[in-house]
Amino acid sequence: MTIQTGLSQRQKAAVIVRLLLDDDEASSLSRLDSESQTLLAEEMAGMELIDRQTRDAIITEFCDRLESVGVTFPGDLDGTLAMLGQQLSEDSTDRLRRRAVIQGRGDPWQRIGALPAPAILSLANSEAVEMVALMLSKLPVERASEVFVGLPRERARAVAQAMSMTAGVTSESLHRVGLVLLQAAEALPRPAIPTPTTDRMGAILNFATADLREDVLDSLDRHDADFAGGVRKAIFIFAQIPARVMPRDIPRIVREVEQPVLIRALAATAEAEAAAAEFILTNLSQRMSDGLREERNDLGKLRATDIEEAMTEVVSAIRRLEEAGEITLILPQDDG
């Protein structure tokens, strides 16, 4: 039922927004496009007093309209894809995003900011420096810095010089540049296997025995030193715990590992592994550390395979926590 108040639909909307502002519930206004926000603000600027009876009538009409709604949809592609979640295949999602880019819908800069770092770096290396300067201006500072330092020195200088030309760019021009960059990004080849080969090989070698791992790495060093270096950075083994794990995360890791497994891992005798075991014990409470030392001393002689399997389980626990975002590993440093 539409109640006669003498106000237009746009004026009624302005009244509802004014009421929402009093309740700090107007954050959803950012979902409106720029033109709708402008029209709403202009309407509000031309209004003064609304009597209580008219206000109540507008609220009643608004609630009636809400109650008559059976189902709502996001109204844009990004919201629709977020709603569908994992129900769509990756190919379908990709096709929809490409179609939206061609039709010029949505904010291209949000999608550019969500691109993988290699894709953004590829754009930064191939597009005109003026467009790259605009892209770096729109990206979060940390992301922009990551891309900038990855550029060849000469191109980095050219992009830096072009930054001075971005101050007077209009919103329309910025939108068009975003669409061009996003279309270029969508045209980049996409590997069938997204995980870098060095990371995959490193993950495989994480669970190999130490002698097999070293044998493979030695062979890679002889045949492809660059690939071998990448694989070494991707590998994370028990001996690297002191260099890669923050001391504050040790108690969380210990809770993730069954105690008998942890004690066997702490019984490692090789120099690097023993140092990692000591690092773990040092960053636990004194009482817990003393208890684990006593249980380790009571184990007697263990088979090397039992110790290695236990160390692998500790590493697996650390990897699980990292993937879940509960801990952050320290990045390996380049040699030399």
Side-chain angles (χ1 to χ4, degrees):
M1 177 179 67
T2 301
I3 301 174
Q4 299 300 321
T5 61
L7 298 179
S8 68
Q9 292 299 318
R10 193 178 294 169
Q11 289 173 320
K12 293 176 185 178
V15 172
I16 294 297
V17 169
R18 180 65 184 85
L19 294 170
L20 291 175
L21 286 172
D22 286 339
D23 292 333
D24 297 324
E25 294 292 338
S27 60
S28 60
L29 290 181
S30 61
R31 298 174 59 184
L32 296 175
D33 58 54
S34 178
E35 182 180 0
S36 297
Q37 291 184 39
T38 301
L39 290 173
L40 182 60
E42 289 176 344
E43 202 67 58
M44 294 178 74
M47 299 176 69
E48 294 183 354
L49 293 176
I50 299 293
D51 61 67
R52 187 182 299 272
Q53 183 178 358
T54 302
R55 181 203 65 184
D56 292 346
I58 291 171
I59 293 174
T60 300
E61 181 179 343
F62 180 68
C63 291
D64 287 343
R65 286 180 178 271
L66 285 181
E67 289 179 358
S68 69
V69 173
V71 64
T72 62
F73 292 89
D76 57 41
L77 179 63
D78 290 332
T80 300
L81 292 177
M83 177 183 69
L84 293 174
Q86 301 298 319
Q87 302 302 317
L88 292 179
S89 68
E90 187 173 344
D91 285 344
S92 296
T93 300
D94 185 58
R95 190 177 300 113
L96 285 168
R97 290 195 182 280
R98 287 173 183 265
R99 186 176 299 170
V101 170
I102 294 172
Q103 296 174 353
R105 300 200 308 267
D107 181 4
W109 291 107
Q110 289 183 357
R111 296 182 194 172
I112 290 173
L115 290 173
I120 296 180
L121 186 57
S122 179
L123 292 176
N125 276 305
S126 59
E127 297 298 323
V129 292
E130 295 82 4
M131 295 177 68
V132 176
L134 285 172
M135 179 175 70
L136 296 184
S137 299
K138 286 292 292 181
L139 289 174
V141 174
E142 290 185 6
R143 196 76 185 278
S145 177
E146 179 186 358
V147 173
F148 186 76
V149 299
L151 293 172
R153 187 62 57 88
E154 190 63 32
R155 187 165 181 80
R157 292 195 195 99
V159 170
Q161 292 170 8
M163 290 290 285
S164 64
M165 303 166 60
T166 64
V169 67
T170 64
S171 58
E172 292 80 6
S173 297
L174 196 59
H175 184 80
R176 286 197 297 270
V177 170
L179 286 176
V180 170
L181 288 173
L182 191 54
Q183 288 174 349
E186 294 292 342
L188 293 173
R190 298 178 182 234
I193 303 175
T195 309
T197 53
T198 51
D199 290 357
R200 279 184 281 127
M201 192 68 248
I204 291 170
L205 291 179
N206 275 334
F207 299 97
T209 59
D211 58 337
L212 174 59
R213 183 166 52 242
E214 290 307 315
D215 183 62
V216 169
L217 289 171
D218 288 342
S219 176
L220 289 176
D221 282 329
R222 291 192 299 271
H223 292 89
D224 190 339
D226 289 340
F227 181 63
V231 172
R232 288 184 185 279
K233 287 183 179 181
I235 289 174
F236 174 65
I237 56 177
F238 190 83
Q240 295 174 333
I241 288 177
R244 301 286 307 278
V245 175
M246 296 181 183
R248 67 168 183 261
D249 290 331
I250 291 297
R252 177 66 186 91
I253 293 167
V254 166
R255 291 197 298 272
E256 189 74 10
V257 182
E258 293 183 4
Q259 188 156 318
V261 173
L262 176 64
I263 294 169
R264 289 199 299 273
L266 295 175
T269 56
E271 182 178 354
E273 285 77 8
E278 187 60 31
F279 176 82
I280 293 173
L281 291 167
T282 301
N283 288 288
L284 296 173
S285 68
Q286 185 68 46
R287 180 178 178 181
M288 187 172 189
S289 176
D290 289 344
L292 290 173
R293 291 180 195 276
E294 289 180 11
E295 292 191 54
R296 180 182 63 179
N297 294 337
D298 293 338
L299 283 178
K301 187 172 179 60
L302 295 175
R303 294 183 304 173
T305 54
D306 292 337
I307 295 175
E308 189 149 1
E309 287 174 1
M311 291 190 296
T312 298
E313 288 197 42
V314 173
V315 169
S316 296
I318 294 173
R319 284 295 196 190
R320 286 196 302 272
L321 291 172
E322 182 201 23
E323 290 172 2
E326 296 190 36
I327 65 172
T328 301
L329 292 181
I330 301 169
L331 293 175
Q333 300 298 312
D334 291 328
D335 294 334

